[in-house]
Amino acid sequence: MTYRIEALPIEPFKSLFAMSDAELANVGARRWVADQPGRAPCRVSLRDADAGERLILVNHAHLTDPASPYRASGPIFVREAAVEAEPIEGPAPQMLRRRPLSLRVYDRRNMMIEGEVIEGTGLDERLAHWFAQPGVAQVHIHFAPRGCYLARAVRN
């Protein structure tokens, strides 16, 4: 493979689980309990929460380059029991393949080259296509209907 899919690291989120609901609200986060499978995709473990699992819903900056007009942040779920996923060189995890996705393709200057909406089942094929292009540095993977960031793929 010419790319790998990366989860978010757990460390920046660990302290959130010890906070009270009021403390979470002060930092713009909320405690959440998954009401059914497949509704709360964890960005650290790259797997969906099971029904009844506890998570934190928090805003996360996923493109922070101050020189890029595409700086971006949005809501993400992190499972309380999350174990950080190792980088994945394929196939893409089920959490990504089971959803409609929006791909945002960036060059080395964090300028968006392209964007497209796909079915998750086609993710591996589309990532292979994009990373065959020499100017592509990374692809951000979002949940298409709500636009929430899910993971990123980077060139190996």
Side-chain angles (χ1 to χ4, degrees):
M1 297 246 123
T2 58
Y3 63 89
R4 67 183 180 278
I5 298 171
E6 297 179 336
L8 294 176
I10 186 67
E11 194 58 40
F13 306 105
K14 280 184 175 179
S15 64
L16 297 173
F17 293 104
M19 291 182 176
S20 69
D21 289 348
E23 291 169 322
L24 286 171
N26 284 336
V27 297
R30 302 287 184 277
R31 197 168 317 282
W32 186 276
V33 177
D35 58 353
Q36 61 183 335
R39 285 199 28 140
C42 176
R43 280 44 166 219
V44 169
S45 61
L46 294 183
R47 79 166 193 74
D48 287 303
D50 295 325
E53 255 192 287
R54 293 167 44 109
L55 305 100
I56 298 293
L57 177 61
V58 63
N59 188 276
H60 171 71
H62 55 87
L63 186 58
T64 58
D65 180 352
S68 175
Y70 292 100
R71 287 184 307 272
S73 67
I76 64 164
F77 284 114
V78 179
R79 294 174 38 247
E80 189 172 273
V83 173
E84 189 175 320
E86 294 294 323
I88 298 167
E89 293 190 19
Q94 179 66 18
M95 182 195 95
L96 299 176
R97 288 184 285 124
R98 64 179 299 276
R99 293 178 157 79
L101 302 173
S102 169
L103 304 182
R104 300 174 188 176
V105 183
Y106 297 94
D107 66 14
R108 285 170 182 69
R109 298 173 303 133
N110 290 318
M111 294 298 292
M112 191 182 299
I113 298 169
E114 189 62 68
E116 66 178 325
V117 175
I118 64 166
E119 289 300 321
T121 54
L123 179 59
D124 292 307
E125 177 186 326
R126 294 310 296 157
L127 291 176
H129 164 79
W130 284 115
F131 285 108
Q133 313 298 317
V136 173
Q138 65 179 329
V139 177
H140 285 208
I141 305 164
H142 294 253
F143 180 45
R146 294 190 180 205
C148 301
Y149 174 85
L150 291 169
R152 79 176 184 151
V154 297
R155 185 176 296 283
N156 266 343

